[in-house]
Amino acid sequence: MNFREEHDTMGIVKVPADKYWGAQTQRSFENFKIGTEKMPEEIVRAFAVLKKAAAQTNAEIGVLSKEKADAIASVCDEILWGKTGMEHFPLAVWQTGSGTQSNMNVNEVIARRGTEIAGIKLHPNDDVNKSQSSNDTFPSAMHIAAVIELEERLLPSLDALFAEFERLSVEYKDIIKVGRTHLQDATPLTLGQEISAFAAMLKECRKMIKASEEGLLALALGGTAVGTGLNAPAGFAQGAAAKIAEITGYEFRTADNKFYALTSKDAVVFSHGALKALAADLMKIANDVRWLASGPRCGIGEIFIPANEPGSSIMPGKINPTQCEALTMVSVQVLGNDAAIGAAAAQGNFQLNVFMPVIIYNYLQSVRLLADAMESFRINCASGIKPNIEKINENLEKSLMLVTALNPHIGYEKAAEVAKKAYGENITLREAVISLGYMTGEDFDLAVNPEQMV
C-alpha cells in the first residue's frame, strides 16, 4: 500500500494514499481498533448536510469566501450521492464520546476532496469546521440522521404493515372465534376484531414516533464548545438550521438553549422510547400470530401463515413461524438498545454528554432493524394470513366461556355451576344447563348466540 504524509498539531502521520482522510482520522483509526462497529453511514450523510449548510451560511454572513463554500458544498453533495463513499469514513463507534474524531474525519475528507476538485486550498478546521465545534455538530448530526431515518425508512414500513392489518381486519370481520385472556378461553370476538388491535397498535405507535420528532428537530449547531456560541458569528445558528431544513425538507430549527442541547440527550431518549413501544407491540403481535398458527395438528391452529422454508434439518415436512421469530428477536434487540441509550444519556459531566456515538449507533440500529423486520414480516407472513375456518368453529363450539351469555338469565353463580358441570363431565353447555334444570334447550339456543356476543 502506498502512503502519503499528513500533519496535524501533534506531528506527521502516514495516511493511505488512496484515501481522502487526514492525520486526525488516521490517529483515531490506529488508536481505536475496538470491535467491528463503524460510525453509521446515516451519520456521515447527516454531517454532509450539516457541513453544506454551515458553509453556505458562513458565506452569506461573510466569514467564508463563496468559492470555498461552493467547494465544500460540492463535496457534501458527492457524499450524499455516494460518489465519495464510505471507504473514506473508517472510524469505529468506540472512539471519543463527543464524536470529535468523526467530525474531523468528515472535515478532512471534505477539505482534501474540495481542494482536489476546486483547485483552492481548504483547511479542515479553519474552513470546513468554521463557526462549529464537534460538541455542537455531532449532536446536530444525530438529530438530522434520526429524523431522516424515521421519516424515510421506519414510517413507510410501519404504514405498510398497518395497511395490511387494516385489510385483514376488514376481510375477516365476520369470522367469529373464541377469545382468550390469561391463556384461557374467554368470550368470543371476530378474527377481524382481533387483528384490528394489531392495526391500532401500529397507529398509536406512529403518533408517538411523530410526537417524538418535535425534540429532534431542535439543533445544537451554533452552541460550539460549551453552548456559548464562541467563534460562531451572529445569525449563524439560525441561518444554518434554516438551510438544513431547506436541504432535507424537514422543519429543523435552532435549539432555544444550546447549553441544554449539548449536555442532554433527552430528545433521542424520548424518541427511542417510542421505538421501544413499537418493539413491544411488534413482539406481542408476532407472538399472537405464531400462537394462533401453532400446530399444524396439535396446537391452536386457527390461522394459516405462509410456509416459506423447511423448518428442521431432522424432522421432514416441519414448517416454523420464522418471520415471527425474526421480528421478536429484533424487538429484543431494540429493548436492549433502549437500556444502553438510557444509561448513556445519563453520562457525561457538566457541559457535554460524552456517550454520543453509542447513543446514535443504537438508535439508528433500532430504526433500521424495525423498518426491515416490519417489511419482511408484512411481505412474508402478514400478507398471507388465512383463517382455518374448521378449527375456528371447532374451538368456538367447545368454548365454555359462551356461558357468560347466561348471566342475565340465570345469574353468575348458576352459570358458573353450568360451566363446571360441562367441563367436569365433558358435555356441552346446553346439555349441562338442561340437566340442571335451569333452562330449556330452546331458551339456551336463544340466549347463547355467538353472533350477538361480538
Side-chain angles (χ1 to χ4, degrees):
M1 179 183 291
N2 294 323
F3 293 88
R4 68 175 189 277
E5 288 188 345
E6 292 281 348
H7 78 279
D8 59 13
T9 57
M10 295 181 68
I12 302 296
V13 178
K14 288 186 175 181
V15 175
D18 61 341
K19 300 297 188 292
Y20 285 126
W21 70 70
Q24 292 194 47
T25 302
Q26 187 64 31
R27 291 187 193 280
S28 179
F29 183 69
E30 293 174 359
N31 291 337
F32 295 94
K33 294 185 181 298
I34 303 173
T36 59
E37 297 82 7
K38 301 300 181 183
M39 191 60 63
E41 181 177 357
E42 298 91 339
I43 284 292
V44 174
R45 293 171 60 82
F47 261 118
V49 170
L50 184 154
K51 297 296 179 180
K52 179 178 180 178
Q56 291 174 337
T57 304
N58 280 324
E60 290 179 2
I61 292 173
V63 296
L64 185 70
S65 71
K66 186 177 184 305
E67 292 75 18
K68 288 186 174 182
D70 288 345
I72 291 169
S74 294
V75 182
C76 292
D77 287 337
E78 286 191 353
I79 294 170
L80 292 172
W81 298 335
K83 184 176 179 180
T84 298
M86 284 299 294
E87 68 271 18
H88 299 288
F89 304 96
L91 297 189
V93 169
W94 319 108
Q95 53 165 279
T96 173
S98 62
T100 297
Q101 291 147 8
S102 282
N103 179 45
M104 285 307 303
N105 182 191
V106 175
N107 289 336
E108 289 176 341
V109 169
I110 292 173
R112 184 167 184 83
R113 175 60 180 156
T115 297
E116 182 179 84
I117 63 177
I120 54 175
K121 181 65 175 176
L122 290 176
H123 192 280
N125 296 85
D126 296 336
D127 298 320
V128 186
N129 202 60
K130 182 174 286 294
S131 308
Q132 305 152 62
S133 163
S134 299
N135 295 356
D136 65 349
T137 59
F138 199 89
S140 297
M142 289 170 65
H143 283 203
I144 294 168
V147 170
I148 290 173
E149 290 303 294
L150 287 179
E151 287 289 337
E152 299 178 13
R153 187 191 291 263
L154 183 82
L155 291 180
S157 292
L158 188 155
D159 290 342
L161 185 56
F162 166 79
E164 191 61 51
F165 284 136
E166 278 278 277
R167 179 187 70 80
L168 292 171
S169 71
V170 173
E171 184 174 346
Y172 302 143
K173 64 183 176 62
D174 296 324
I175 299 174
I176 301 172
K177 65 183 293 291
V178 66
R180 295 177 177 87
T181 59
H182 303 270
L183 290 180
Q184 304 296 305
D185 301 343
T187 55
L189 76 168
T190 71
L191 181 58
Q193 289 170 331
E194 187 167 42
I195 293 175
S196 76
F198 302 163
M201 289 177 195
L202 298 181
K203 183 177 181 180
E204 292 304 310
C205 283
R206 191 188 203 285
K207 291 179 184 177
M208 296 176 203
I209 292 166
K210 287 295 292 183
S212 79
E213 284 186 5
E214 179 62 23
L216 295 172
L217 291 169
L219 300 179
L221 190 61
T224 64
V226 297
T228 61
L230 179 66
N231 291 347
F236 173 80
Q238 294 78 8
K243 288 197 178 294
I244 290 169
E246 180 183 337
I247 293 168
T248 62
Y250 302 112
E251 296 180 358
F252 289 104
R253 65 185 185 279
T254 189
D256 294 332
N257 187 309
K258 301 299 190 299
F259 306 101
Y260 167 78
L262 266 63
T263 196
S264 174
K265 296 291 141 292
D266 286 355
V268 179
V269 172
F270 181 64
S271 182
H272 198 272
L275 299 182
K276 179 174 69 171
L278 174 60
D281 279 341
L282 291 172
M283 173 82 79
K284 187 262 191 297
I285 291 168
N287 279 334
D288 281 1
V289 168
R290 61 176 166 180
W291 270 109
L292 290 171
S294 61
R297 291 185 174 178
C298 301
I300 293 175
E302 291 181 346
I303 63 172
F304 300 113
I305 57 175
N308 296 321
E309 64 275 317
S312 173
S313 62
I314 188 173
M315 292 175 279
K318 192 172 190 294
I319 302 297
N320 294 332
T322 51
Q323 289 295 319
C324 297
E325 291 163 4
L327 186 55
T328 52
M329 284 193 289
V330 163
S331 297
V332 167
Q333 183 64 53
V334 173
L335 297 179
N337 286 351
D338 193 73
I341 288 171
Q347 305 301 318
N349 306 108
F350 308 117
Q351 277 67 61
L352 185 68
N353 177 283
V354 290
F355 280 63
M356 289 189 286
V358 72
I359 290 173
I360 195 58
Y361 177 83
N362 281 283
Y363 182 96
L364 293 173
Q365 185 192 57
S366 291
V367 171
R368 191 181 313 114
L369 289 176
L370 286 169
D372 290 350
M374 284 190 291
E375 187 71 355
S376 180
F377 184 78
R378 177 183 68 85
I379 293 170
N380 299 305
C381 184
S383 64
I385 290 175
K386 303 293 182 186
N388 183 345
I389 300 297
E390 182 180 351
K391 187 68 172 177
I392 285 174
N393 290 340
E394 177 189 338
N395 287 342
L396 181 63
E397 185 178 334
K398 290 191 302 184
S399 173
L400 294 175
M401 289 304 102
L402 295 177
V403 77
T404 307
L406 299 183
N407 288 357
H409 302 281
I410 63 174
Y412 181 91
E413 292 190 9
K414 288 182 178 179
E417 185 182 357
V418 170
K420 290 177 181 178
K421 182 176 181 65
Y423 180 67
E425 298 179 14
N426 196 27
I427 59 177
T428 67
L429 292 172
R430 191 177 192 276
E431 291 169 334
V433 78
I434 293 171
S435 174
L436 290 167
Y438 294 149
M439 298 180 80
T440 66
E442 291 76 11
D443 289 339
F444 177 89
D445 293 339
L446 289 173
V448 181
N449 183 347
E451 291 183 3
Q452 295 176 355
M453 299 175 70
V454 299

